[in-house]
Amino acid sequence: MASSSCEVAAITEGVESREDLKSMLPFLPLVIRSSSLVWPSRVVEVLKAISKGPDYSNINSGESLFTAISDIRNSLYLSAEPLAPFAQDGYSLFFDELMSRAESTKWFGEILPAMANLLLRMPSLLESHYENADKLLDGVKTGVKTGLRVLGPQVAGIVFLSQELISALLACAFFCLFPVTNRGAKHLPTINLDHLFENLYESYSKNQENKIMCIVHYFERICSCAPVGFVSFERKVLPLEQIPTCISYPDADFWSKSVAPLCSFEVHNSGFIEDQSNGALEVDFANKYLGGGALHRGCVQEEIRFMINPELIAGMLFLPHMEDNEAIEIVGAERFSNYTGYASSFRFSGDHVDRRNVDSFGRHKTRIVAIDALSNPGMRQYKINYLLREINKAFCGFSDLSKYDHYKRLFQNSGPQGADSEEHYKYGNVLSMNNFLVRGSNDLIEDSGEKSTWCLDHKDKIGIATGNWGCGAFGGDPELKTIIQWLAASQALRPSIFYYTFGIEALSNLDQAKEYKS
């Protein structure tokens, strides 16, 4: 028993001293006491009551649920951070009027108590996460930092979260327990669900109701069968300065002289990116704030994806907005819902069983990259500096740094390779991380070069599944964006683009693009 106590003490002391946890503490509702992450005692009382069901807690309606949420928030001293004015009305409307009696009985009798139990376990789930972070390969430290932390601008990095921890974090968002005071200063997106429910009440729409139905369905699924995999969230950066062992932000001269061959181009006039079966990297037509209007009124491509794959929402907790030379890649987010329609016609259409294979890191082989296009660029989009911004944004998202040696040959004339040792450390380790993590193959080979990094023996040739990025609400020219993405994917040495036109008339002859490759 004594040795066990010593082990626990060592673990908790390590958690308390971790820099990654320190960066997150202002954005978590937990506190550290006696070297342990804990909820305040009053919060534990309320959550334990909820976990025992409505006969004990008397929480059997949206109105009483919101009262409990307010009680917990007061115990966390969050009353100075008021929720959206009509959030209470939104919770009441959904759970007391829109939800059927049978569904409501199940929700308050089974799902909500299970969510309360998840929240009670959140401190231990986080401690376990930090204990095991940075030990992705058979419990051995690899030098790759994977712990939950704020992945700030211009610093590439990756976070690995278990699906179980994500479910606890999303339950925390449902209960609106994340502090928000400092999020704006760090350019972090919305994370609590109060605006999602407020918008349901303030300007009711059927698509907003169905967005919430997707979230509710997610909780029903994970509370009946806890997921056991992992999801990774990576900030990708094209350094603006020239860095050794890194591909830097290409200039216009480089692009005009590129000799990269065009990759294959396959047009799909029907179907959706998320349904592709080629194992491709799927493009999220993102807002610079990850998730866009997912937790507000938004209901187009990015927001829909965040509803049917709700684990994506976890990235909104710790990923600040993207700058022009950045992208965010998320691997492993499971899909839980089917849907029909788009924007105002969006409807939840039932359960989805995600049958995609799992890699050796426990991630579903669903690879999503968020890249934000220029918003309403008008005639500016044809000017060289804006063209450069868009093609480099796409290239950042599409790049696969495990192909660094191949990129280096293509970029050998793009600029000087000298840099000081501090920058080499900052970016060089990122390259090692990507070499190690990109595919999750079982065939790991140690690099014999000076960097002594890890790389993967890739068996997959991963293409790009995309469509009308930056068009629609963002006002981009579909034909121009098609060419930009094709060039970026080719420069990134992707083998193919699978282009989904969504029936846009301007792209009706896109099949003819294949002629240019020949």
Side-chain angles (χ1 to χ4, degrees), residues 8 20 35 86-87 104 110 128 193 215 230 239 250 313 323 349 376 381 425 441 464 474:
V8 171
D20 43 14
S35 297
F86 297 105
S104 178
E110 300 176 23
S128 176
L193 302 195
I215 299 297
F230 288 83
I313 296 169
E323 297 184 356
S349 65
N376 299 310
Q381 66 188 300
Y425 172 80
S441 165
I464 303 293
F474 272 40

Side-chain angles (χ1 to χ4, degrees), residues 474-486:
F474 272 40
D477 179 339
E479 293 171 305
L480 177 64
K481 284 296 197 294
T482 300
I483 298 300
I484 284 173
Q485 291 184 89
W486 192 8

Side-chain angles (χ1 to χ4, degrees), residues 221-508:
R221 277 277 305 275
I222 60 99
C223 287
S224 63
C225 182
V228 296
F230 288 83
V231 182
S232 65
F233 301 80
E234 178 185 357
R235 181 177 289 274
K236 303 169 76 171
V237 181
L238 274 180
L240 297 174
E241 66 272 36
Q242 298 295 327
I243 305 295
T245 74
C246 260
I247 300 305
S248 300
Y249 197 83
D251 59 19
D253 185 58
F254 168 80
W255 283 105
S256 69
K257 296 176 180 177
S258 173
V259 295
L262 287 172
C263 65
S264 70
F265 193 95
E266 186 175 303
V267 179
H268 294 262
N269 290 315
S270 61
F272 301 98
I273 291 170
E274 63 269 18
D275 294 327
Q276 61 85 25
S277 58
N278 299 292
L281 180 65
E282 301 168 9
V283 178
D284 165 16
F285 306 160
N287 188 286
K288 70 177 182 178
Y289 285 91
L290 184 68
L295 303 186
H296 289 264
R297 289 193 183 119
C299 198
V300 287
Q301 196 254 13
E302 179 172 40
E303 291 87 358
I304 290 172
R305 195 66 197 265
F306 275 59
M307 295 301 103
I308 64 174
N309 296 65
E311 291 163 336
L312 297 171
I313 296 169
M316 299 168 70
L317 175 63
F318 57 90
L319 285 161
H321 73 166
M322 290 178 278
E323 297 184 356
D324 286 348
N325 61 327
E326 297 181 321
I328 292 170
E329 185 169 331
I330 302 172
V331 180
E334 185 174 348
R335 179 173 172 181
F336 290 86
S337 294
N338 287 320
Y339 75 98
T340 60
Y342 189 81
S344 62
S345 65
F346 172 78
R347 300 292 184 268
F348 167 73
S349 65
D351 183 48
H352 179 91
V353 178
D354 196 327
R355 302 192 186 281
R356 290 192 177 178
N357 292 333
V358 174
D359 69 17
S360 62
F361 294 104
R363 302 174 298 181
H364 281 84
K365 288 188 176 180
T366 298
R367 307 169 177 95
I368 297 170
V369 64
I371 50 174
D372 57 302
L374 292 168
S375 180
N376 299 310
M379 295 304 294
R380 293 179 299 147
Q381 66 188 300
Y382 305 106
K383 295 182 180 295
I384 188 65
N385 54 328
Y386 294 103
L387 288 168
L388 191 60
R389 188 270 183 199
E390 296 294 78
I391 198 167
N392 282 338
K393 170 67 72 167
F395 176 66
C396 180
F398 298 168
S399 63
D400 172 356
L401 291 183
S402 67
K403 297 175 180 174
Y404 169 71
D405 288 337
H406 300 290
Y407 289 165
K408 187 167 63 174
R409 286 195 286 273
L410 287 174
F411 277 74
Q412 59 188 348
N413 297 319
S414 65
Q417 294 299 311
D420 60 39
S421 58
E422 181 181 350
E423 288 180 332
H424 177 92
Y425 172 80
K426 177 180 176 183
Y427 291 103
N429 191 49
V430 171
L431 176 64
S432 305
M433 171 194 69
N434 280 280
N435 279 343
F436 179 68
L437 294 173
V438 164
R439 292 288 182 273
S441 165
N442 288 314
D443 300 316
L444 293 167
I445 302 174
E446 188 166 8
D447 190 345
S448 59
E450 292 182 2
K451 295 191 296 295
S452 187
T453 61
W454 289 85
C455 64
L456 295 170
D457 180 18
H458 301 307
K459 295 180 178 177
D460 300 328
K461 293 188 179 297
I462 296 177
I464 303 293
T466 189
N468 308 317
W469 171 59
C471 306
F474 272 40
D477 179 339
E479 293 171 305
L480 177 64
K481 284 296 197 294
T482 300
I483 298 300
I484 284 173
Q485 291 184 89
W486 192 8
L487 294 176
S490 300
Q491 189 66 44
L493 302 179
R494 296 289 180 172
S496 53
I497 274 194
F498 306 99
Y499 197 99
Y500 292 80
T501 66
F502 300 100
I504 285 195
E505 187 175 345
L507 301 178
S508 58

